[in-house]
Amino acid sequence: MKFDYDKLRVKEGVKVNLKDFSTCDDGGYTRKTAKEEIRRNIKKLKKFQEMFYADDRYSLLIILQARDAAGKDGVIRHVMSGINPQGCRVHSFKTPGRNELEHDYFWRHYIALPERGMIEIFNRSHYENVLATKVNPQWILNERIPGYDSVEKIDGQFWDKRYEDINAVEQHLYRNGMRILKFFLNVSKEEQRERFLSRIDEPDKNWKFSSADLQARKQWDDYDRAFEEMLEKTSKPYAPWYVIPADKKFFARVAVGDIIIELFKSLELHFPPAESPELLEKAREILTKE
């Protein structure tokens, strides 16, 4: 089965309205067929990751952004389960601490970027600095940026410059061999409600629920606008955003896996050659005689 993922990709310069993107598309899969596809993708990703690591020319940054309960952890667990942990890391970013606030907002993300041959997954990312802080601009004051000592001074120009900075950093990374895939898991308000209730009703999931989740839910429309502007301003050919329907968890996992595999295919990866055929033959002779 082949789904047209290009329609999930946010085109550069196009006005974004989240209502134009489905939350419940299943891509033509059922739970059973999706499970089979995920299993196939895991095998493919395992092979590609080994070659990616050995090729040692590129690195890969995967960014997952979403509302609470959209399924980021499940995507990571199911899609990347077959990958060698030595070649892949996951970094979850929480509220910045005191030391992190002593630096610019990108600092803690920059030091977590992957080296060549490695895959890094950001569970939330530097984009929180144009999402959570845009909805709650008072949090910007914690950064103590010169010239911005009140919420009233945090205007449209401030955010435009922040988008420009993010684009510039990502373009720099791309030019130096990093490939960047950005996924926004698009969950509906009703589906989020059901998942919150599940977390409340099931004792083993209680720890996942926070009072902050309800506060963010109250700000749903504000976050809608922040997500739309983020997608519109920062989806670039070198670092595209994909809006992934997330109401059907099984399809979200298939979609993310398929898109990553297509990127790997485009890189023309290969295993590096041996030092020399003569060396291999000599080593074989020595080992055979032991």
Side-chain angles (χ1 to χ4, degrees):
M1 186 180 299
K2 195 66 177 176
F3 183 85
D4 181 13
Y5 292 110
D6 190 58
K7 68 181 184 180
L8 303 183
R9 180 172 176 157
V10 178
K11 308 302 187 295
E12 183 179 18
V14 174
K15 185 72 174 175
V16 174
N17 186 330
L18 282 177
K19 291 182 174 62
D20 296 335
F21 292 90
S22 172
T23 63
C24 60
D25 197 339
D26 60 15
Y29 289 90
T30 63
R31 290 182 184 276
K32 181 179 179 181
T33 58
K35 188 174 182 179
E36 293 167 354
E37 180 72 0
I38 291 168
R39 189 180 298 115
R40 285 191 291 269
N41 281 351
I42 287 172
K43 291 180 180 179
K44 292 177 185 177
L45 284 169
K46 183 177 182 180
K47 292 180 180 179
F48 274 120
Q49 186 263 333
E50 183 180 2
M51 194 180 301
F52 185 76
Y53 182 84
D55 188 272
D56 201 31
R57 289 180 297 151
Y58 299 98
S59 59
L60 175 59
L61 175 62
I62 298 170
I63 293 173
L64 295 174
Q65 288 288 159
R67 302 179 193 274
D68 298 310
K72 298 189 305 300
D73 291 341
V75 165
I76 294 169
R77 186 170 61 253
H78 286 82
V79 175
M80 312 303 283
S81 62
I83 287 181
N84 187 333
Q86 288 184 313
C88 180
R89 296 184 297 252
V90 179
H91 203 115
S92 297
F93 292 97
K94 307 298 183 183
T95 302
R98 182 176 178 180
N99 181 52
E100 291 166 331
L101 288 170
E102 292 297 325
H103 299 80
D104 69 276
Y105 72 86
F106 210 104
W107 175 78
R108 65 177 182 153
H109 307 285
Y110 205 95
I111 61 176
L113 290 173
E115 58 266 37
R116 298 187 194 283
M118 292 291 294
I119 301 169
E120 186 81 36
I121 303 171
F122 281 4
N123 185 344
R124 301 192 189 276
S125 68
H126 46 283
Y127 282 99
E128 288 299 312
N129 296 279
V130 292
L131 290 171
T133 56
K134 197 166 193 298
V135 174
N136 304 278
Q138 68 275 15
W139 294 350
I140 290 290
L141 304 182
N142 295 328
E143 299 180 31
R144 305 192 310 284
I145 302 171
Y148 294 96
D149 54 2
S150 70
V151 171
E152 290 71 30
K153 294 181 180 180
I154 303 170
D155 55 10
Q157 189 178 49
F158 174 89
W159 298 112
D160 285 341
K161 288 180 179 178
R162 190 155 277 200
Y163 296 130
E164 289 175 11
D165 291 342
I166 290 173
N167 289 335
V169 169
E170 291 182 351
Q171 187 171 49
H172 164 75
L173 295 173
Y174 179 88
R175 287 171 174 168
N176 285 274
M178 187 176 296
R179 295 299 174 260
I180 304 170
L181 289 175
K182 302 181 294 196
F183 300 101
F184 171 59
L185 305 187
N186 191 24
V187 69
S188 67
K189 196 171 185 178
E190 179 57 28
E191 179 63 22
Q192 187 195 62
R193 173 180 172 274
E194 292 301 316
R195 293 181 189 181
F196 279 169
L197 286 172
S198 175
R199 290 179 176 186
I200 292 169
D201 293 340
E202 297 181 38
D204 290 348
K205 293 183 179 180
N206 287 171
W207 65 274
K208 290 185 175 184
F209 188 78
S210 164
S211 58
D213 297 340
L214 285 182
Q215 176 58 31
R217 186 171 170 83
K218 290 178 183 177
Q219 299 170 308
W220 188 277
D221 292 341
D222 292 332
Y223 269 103
D224 253 4
R225 289 187 287 272
F227 282 126
E228 288 168 351
E229 188 161 308
M230 173 199 75
L231 295 166
E232 181 181 326
K233 301 276 188 172
T234 63
S235 190
K236 303 293 181 181
Y238 52 83
W241 275 107
Y242 289 86
V243 180
I244 307 295
D247 283 4
K248 309 287 187 185
K249 291 181 180 180
F250 60 84
F251 179 57
R253 295 163 185 172
V254 168
V256 171
D258 282 349
I259 292 168
I260 295 171
I261 287 169
E262 285 306 307
L263 173 70
F264 277 138
K265 287 179 179 178
S266 73
L267 298 181
E268 299 182 357
L269 301 170
H270 59 267
F271 289 108
E275 291 182 48
S276 72
E278 293 79 12
L279 179 100
L280 290 179
E281 192 55 42
K282 185 175 182 180
R284 178 192 297 277
E285 182 179 341
I286 292 171
L287 292 168
T288 302
K289 290 180 179 179
E290 283 188 355

